[in-house]
Every structure is written in structure tokens, then in C-alpha cells.
Amino acid sequence: MKLNLLLPFIFTILIFGCNKKETSQKRPNILFIMSDDHAYQAISAYGSKLIQTPNIDRLADEGVLFTNACVTNSICAPSRATILTGKHTHINGKMDNIHPFDTTQMTFPQIFQKAGYETAMYGKLHFGNNPKGFDDFMILPDQGNYINPDFITPQGDTTLMGYVTDVITDLTLGWLKDKRDTDKPFMMMYWHKAPHRPWWPRADKFKKYSQMTFPEPATLFDDYANRGTAAKSAEMNILTHMTYNHDSKIRPETLQKMGGVTPHIENYKDGFYYPYNRASAEQKALYGPVVDSINQYFEENWPSMTNEEKMKWKYQRYMQDYLGCIESVDENVGRVLDYLDESGLAENTIVIYTSDQGFYLGEHGWFDKRFIYDESFKTPLIIRWPNEFQKGVVKDEMVQNLDYAQTLLEAAQIEAPSDMQGESMIPLLTGNDQQWTRDAVYYHYYAYPSIHMVKKHYGIVKKDFKLVHFYDDVDEWELYDRYKDPQEMSSVYHDPAYTEVVETLKEELKGLRKKYKVVQ
Ligand code: SGN
Ligand code: CA
């Protein structure tokens, strides 16, 4: 072939080659994966005794896993508001799940969009209004539904057939593959509803997990001795507060036939049928036989069980459904990670896996969250960026959901607004730990009185100690020695051996409340 005929090919190869090189230096894509109420105790990379999560673990093998990642306020919408604004609850104003988020505020997706990123959000937001700063979105109304979920979209409302975790993933993959502008880097929020209460797994997993048995946590029968009023009065005990119909999947007819069961628990109206009746006849044909066998067992055995046996049975039912939901989350995360690999996007895409808070899986006899105690205060956090971050590394610094916005903005070389209150985690992700400055975090929960009745409290947490003040209708302090008592079974606040620790921490707490503008 003559040179002049070869030239176009040579140019193409050169240009293609240059582009490829440029790609690796281009601003990173962001895939922000968040699940709702996913306890770190249910991730094998965190040493779970309950389930294997091979896909989420891949992120840990190839990225950085944080063992002390925590939230500023352990409840859904407030946590999301902190993530999006980079500000504590008292500044962003989202104190509970009820009042709508103030959308006049700057959120980090808006900043990415202005900086030339293509942005999208699929899944649960829970703000009571539509998200700002997204080129496309499809969000669940309020808490959303597990079966054949409804969605709010910029074009109006719609219902999609299928299981919510699969559907949100299909939407995410659809956008990544066909909808986005491939000339721009992307920032995408892929935010699951699962494994939020009422824990309906996909029918095949419902069947599989209903036949499994799980180890119990050491503190399942906690009597809340050596702690204050708040732990004793919370309404989140599996035996006495978890409902039969909404949670354990006992049909109202079964309960009626049995003429009432003990302990008496106020069941939710339509707690069983509201989610179940969303299923089509075909879907019910799969769910129905499993529900029937659970109900049959309950009817035959419950009346003669001791309270201890009842607690154990309810715990197993809870774990079967909760972990069945997790398996779908993990498999779907795997589908998206596979696509990143196949498309060549993986190397320059930052993937975050986190949850809006942690969750009790029977520790202290509880389900739900809200407390500053570890299982709900801490949240899973794994971050991977093959091009730039460390691989297979575990960190125990006190990082917080407050820090995500500034971290992602710095990674994308976009300036963060000066009023954001977090600290960029880039030093920890790149092995420059000496540049990380914070060793204490501030926490504050406000939503009382409300469902589960966890009292208002705030506190300071460091690697070694946790000091908490419960206030409003009580005035009680608790102190935990995190190294000596990792299960937080005994407050040592009144122990004279800790007087100095209390004094020092109270001063530090004052300092944090000033720093974050809780007080002037
Ligand atoms: C619902 C749940 C509660 C849960 C809150 C908040 N009940 O009210 O158990 O604490 O959401 O959860 S249910 O009827 O929906 O099952 S949060 O994650 O949105 O904060
Ligand atoms: Ca949540």
C-alpha cells in the first residue's frame, strides 16, 4: 500500500492512541452507590458472620475500606441531606424524615453539573421533593415499594414491573449504556431502597432464605442494665416491637384465627397486604407458598413457645428477609461493576459503596437505628478508584458522611464551597495519612418523639471513647470505653476511674459544637 493511502490509518491510530492516554488523565467519573439501612455486619468484607457479599467485597479488595466511617445523624433523610450539602443537620435544616428538604441550598451534584459533568440519580431519595442538579432522575416516592415500584420522573409518575433492586439497577445500567452524553464525565447516584423495612426479598430469595438459620448476636437478650433511660425506653426490640404482619409476614387472617397472640403488638394496618398486594398473580404464585409455610409454622408453634424461643424465631424471620434483600443488592452491584469492567470505564471511575446509616441486626435485641451506639452510628464505606487510590487497604480514621462531598469535589478538581463542614478524605485514600487532621466527630439525633422513640441526643466520638448527652425529657450522660467495651454494654460515665476522660471530652465536645456552629 502506498504511503498516502496509509496516512489516514496512521493518523487514526495516533489520534486514538492520544485519546486513550488522555482518558486516563481525564476527570474521574463518579458512581455513588448507596443502600438504605445496610448494616456493616451484613458485608463479608467487614467480617460478617451472616452473609457473603462477593461483589461489594470486590470494591474492598480493589479499594479502601473504612472501619470507623459514621454518620452525623442516624436516620434516612437527614443523612442524605448531610451527604448532599456537606453540612451538619442543624445547618442544612433537615432534622427528620417528615419536613421537606430546603432545595434552595447548594448540593454537590449541582456543583458537578455546573462543572460540566453529566449527572443522574436513580432510586430512593426521601426528601419530599425532587432532586436538583441532575440531568436525569427517577426516584421512589417517599420510602418506595419493593414489588413493582412507582417512580417520580421529570416527565411524570410511572410504575415499573419487577423487584425494586433489579429495577433501579436496570435504570442505572440503561443510563450508563445508552442515555448519557459520553463526551462528558458522569456523576451518578445509584441509591437502593433495600434493605429497608419491611424487608421483602425477591420471591426466589424469599424462598431460599426462609429455609436458612443464622447465628445470633451475643447481645440479643440485652436487658439494658448499666445504661440510661434512652436504651430502656426505645421501641425497637425484636420481641416486643417488631410487628407480626408487617415484619414477620404473618397474615392478619392467621392472627385472627389464633384469637390474639402474645406479646401483644400493635400491628400496622395493611402491614402485610399493602406490600404483598402490589405483586401480580404470577409473582404471588411464587411468594404465596413461602408465606403459607411461615404462617403454618407460626400458628402451630407460637402459642407453646417461651419468650426466649419467640425472640429467637422472630430474629431468624428478620434475618431471613433482611439478608435475602442484601443478596439482591450485592448481585446487582456486581452487574454494575461488571459493566464498568466491560466498558473500560472502571479504571477512571470512583465507586463509593455506603449506606445512609447502619442498622441493628439483633444487637441489644434491636432492629432499626437512630442511636449513637456503634451498629447504627457507623456505616459501611468502601471507595475504589483504580487510577489513583490505594488498593486493598483498611483505615480506622473517624470519617463521616459529612466528608463525601468535599472528597468527591477534590477528586474531580472542583473547588468546594467554603461553608461545607467536612474534610476531604483524599489524603487517606492516597496514602498521605499524615495530612488527615480530624480525630473526633460530632453526632446529633433530633427526631423525638417519633416512631421507635429514641430520645434526642448528641455526643462526641473518638477512636477510644464515646461521650453522649441525652436531653429534652431527660438529662443523662453516658460514656463508653470503645476499646474495652466494644459492644457498649456499660456506661462508665459515673466510674471515678474515668473522671478525667469525661472532663477532657466535655471540653472537646464544646469545641466541636463551636466549630460546627451549633452554638456561637
Ligand atoms: C419507616 C419504618 C421505620 C423506620 C422509618 C425511618 N417503618 O417509618 O421502622 O424507622 O421508616 O427509616 S415502615 O412502616 O416503613 O416499615 S428511614 O431509613 O427512612 O429513616
Ligand atoms: Ca435509612
Side-chain angles (χ1 to χ4, degrees):
M1 206 185 274
K2 285 206 177 115
L3 184 62
N4 59 348
L5 285 177
L6 267 176
L7 273 178
F9 292 106
I10 292 169
F11 275 130
T12 313
I13 289 164
L14 275 176
I15 288 164
F16 184 70
C18 288
N19 270 349
K20 266 216 115 166
K21 183 140 189 287
E22 216 178 86
T23 310
S24 64
Q25 292 159 353
K26 271 204 312 212
R27 292 188 290 178
N29 303 303
I30 317 278
L31 174 67
F32 193 126
I33 313 174
M34 189 156 80
S35 44
D36 192 352
D37 297 357
H38 191 173
Y40 58 89
Q41 310 92 289
I43 294 180
S44 38
Y46 277 89
S48 177
K49 297 188 182 89
L50 299 165
I51 191 168
Q52 290 299 313
T53 48
N55 296 291
I56 296 171
D57 290 6
R58 262 167 71 187
L59 291 172
D61 293 343
E62 297 158 9
V64 183
L65 178 146
F66 292 89
T67 56
N68 256 326
C70 60
V71 294
T72 60
N73 181 358
S74 182
I75 182 163
C76 183
S79 167
R80 288 151 202 261
T82 289
I83 290 172
L84 290 176
T85 59
K87 294 175 186 168
H88 273 281
T89 302
H90 61 278
I91 303 285
N92 69 49
K94 189 82 180 94
M95 317 288 274
D96 56 32
N97 280 336
I98 298 160
H99 299 90
F101 175 71
D102 169 6
T103 55
T104 60
Q105 297 181 83
M106 184 53 75
T107 57
F108 85 81
Q110 294 177 66
I111 304 175
F112 270 87
Q113 192 183 40
K114 278 206 192 94
Y117 270 71
E118 177 91 340
T119 55
M121 166 176 251
Y122 296 107
K124 179 173 166 184
L125 176 63
H126 201 188
F127 267 4
N129 42 40
N130 290 348
K132 272 191 167 171
F134 292 99
D135 297 310
D136 192 30
F137 68 82
M138 288 183 79
I139 56 167
L140 302 165
D142 193 34
Q143 297 282 9
N145 292 294
Y146 273 106
I147 305 170
N148 308 326
D150 300 327
F151 282 91
I152 298 167
T153 83
Q155 293 78 37
D157 298 349
T158 184
T159 302
L160 297 178
M161 292 301 285
Y163 182 66
V164 69
T165 308
D166 299 334
V167 172
I168 293 170
T169 308
D170 292 344
L171 294 171
T172 298
L173 284 170
W175 187 81
L176 285 172
K177 289 179 184 171
D178 305 320
K179 281 178 97 174
R180 70 189 174 92
D181 177 349
T182 50
D183 290 336
K184 292 181 179 176
F186 65 81
M187 203 291 295
M188 111 118 13
M189 308 297 229
Y190 163 44
W191 285 11
H192 284 295
K193 175 202 165 50
H196 191 274
R197 197 180 181 198
W199 317 299
W200 277 91
R202 200 174 66 192
D204 56 331
K205 306 215 180 284
F206 185 46
K207 182 173 175 193
K208 173 179 164 188
Y209 276 76
S210 73
Q211 290 151 7
M212 292 167 75
T213 309
F214 299 94
E216 291 167 5
T219 60
L220 184 64
F221 293 95
D222 193 352
D223 61 2
Y224 314 115
N226 305 318
R227 273 145 292 165
T229 316
K232 295 178 180 75
S233 59
E235 296 180 356
M236 44 198 250
N237 182 275
I238 294 174
L239 178 66
T240 50
H241 304 106
M242 188 177 266
T243 63
Y244 300 107
N245 60 4
H246 186 63
D247 300 304
S248 304
K249 319 292 187 280
I250 303 302
R251 294 182 196 266
E253 302 89 292
T254 307
L255 292 172
Q256 218 171 10
K257 207 164 41 164
M258 291 167 74
V261 292
T262 52
H264 174 75
I265 294 162
E266 208 54 63
N267 281 292
Y268 290 177
K269 188 174 175 297
D270 297 330
F272 176 80
Y273 280 111
Y274 179 71
Y276 185 71
N277 279 344
R278 295 189 65 88
S280 65
E282 218 176 296
Q283 290 164 329
K284 278 186 185 162
L286 299 171
Y287 279 110
V290 184
V291 172
D292 290 345
S293 83
I294 293 167
N295 277 254
Q296 196 188 338
Y297 186 92
F298 183 82
E299 196 181 331
E300 287 170 8
N301 295 284
W302 189 263
S304 62
M305 285 183 192
T306 62
N307 271 352
E308 188 180 327
E309 287 164 343
K310 286 176 177 175
M311 175 60 137
K312 284 169 176 273
W313 184 83
K314 282 183 95 176
Y315 167 75
Q316 292 300 333
R317 277 276 48 253
Y318 168 34
M319 282 304 94
Q320 289 163 353
D321 292 349
Y322 181 92
L323 297 168
C325 292
I326 298 288
E327 190 168 278
S328 281
V329 170
D330 185 65
E331 285 176 6
N332 277 291
V333 166
R335 288 173 64 205
V336 178
L337 295 184
D338 286 348
Y339 173 70
L340 293 184
D341 287 342
E342 287 153 23
S343 59
L345 287 166
E347 290 299 307
N348 202 35
T349 298
I350 297 177
V351 181
I352 290 200
Y353 186 85
T354 191
S355 170
D356 59 345
Q357 10 67 206
F359 212 68
Y360 295 97
L361 304 184
E363 298 86 2
H364 306 295
W366 286 335
F367 63 106
D368 214 66
K369 53 251 176 180
R370 297 160 196 270
F371 275 112
I372 194 173
Y373 305 133
D374 265 14
E375 290 81 1
S376 52
F377 162 74
K378 296 206 292 184
T379 195
L381 179 65
I382 307 173
I383 307 181
R384 180 187 85 172
W385 181 11
N387 274 354
E388 300 289 338
F389 294 163
Q390 292 191 290
K391 296 175 182 55
V393 168
V394 175
K395 301 269 175 198
D396 69 351
E397 276 73 14
M398 301 297 307
V399 299
Q400 227 174 359
N401 59 348
L402 185 69
D403 304 323
Y404 302 169
Q406 277 153 272
T407 304
L408 294 175
L409 288 165
E410 184 179 342
Q413 294 166 40
I414 304 169
E415 200 177 331
S418 58
D419 59 351
M420 282 189 171
Q421 297 184 306
E423 179 168 347
S424 165
M425 296 182 277
I426 295 291
L428 299 174
L429 293 161
T430 51
N432 296 299
D433 297 19
Q434 69 290 350
Q435 289 168 23
W436 174 259
T437 64
R438 197 182 57 215
D439 69 346
V441 296
Y442 178 67
Y443 179 92
H444 202 146
Y445 173 80
Y446 304 83
Y448 178 85
S450 74
I451 186 169
H452 302 300
M453 296 302 278
V454 172
K455 293 187 187 296
K456 293 183 186 185
H457 58 291
Y458 63 89
I460 176 173
V461 187
K462 304 179 76 166
K463 282 186 192 172
D464 48 0
F465 289 105
K466 183 179 288 183
L467 178 75
V468 195
H469 183 210
F470 290 94
Y471 69 99
D472 197 27
D473 57 354
V474 288
D475 179 7
E476 294 177 8
W477 290 83
E478 294 180 10
L479 175 73
Y480 293 92
D481 185 327
R482 298 186 78 208
Y483 290 135
K484 284 202 184 140
D485 177 22
Q487 292 175 335
E488 299 168 313
M489 295 296 281
S490 265
S491 165
V492 288
Y493 182 78
H494 295 291
D495 181 338
Y498 289 91
T499 309
E500 228 171 89
V501 176
V502 167
E503 274 171 20
T504 315
L505 282 176
K506 279 194 175 172
E507 276 311 302
E508 286 191 50
L509 176 58
K510 256 193 213 158
L512 283 185
R513 281 166 68 86
K514 231 177 156 167
K515 169 180 167 187
Y516 292 124
K517 300 190 166 65
V518 183
V519 288
Q520 291 313 314

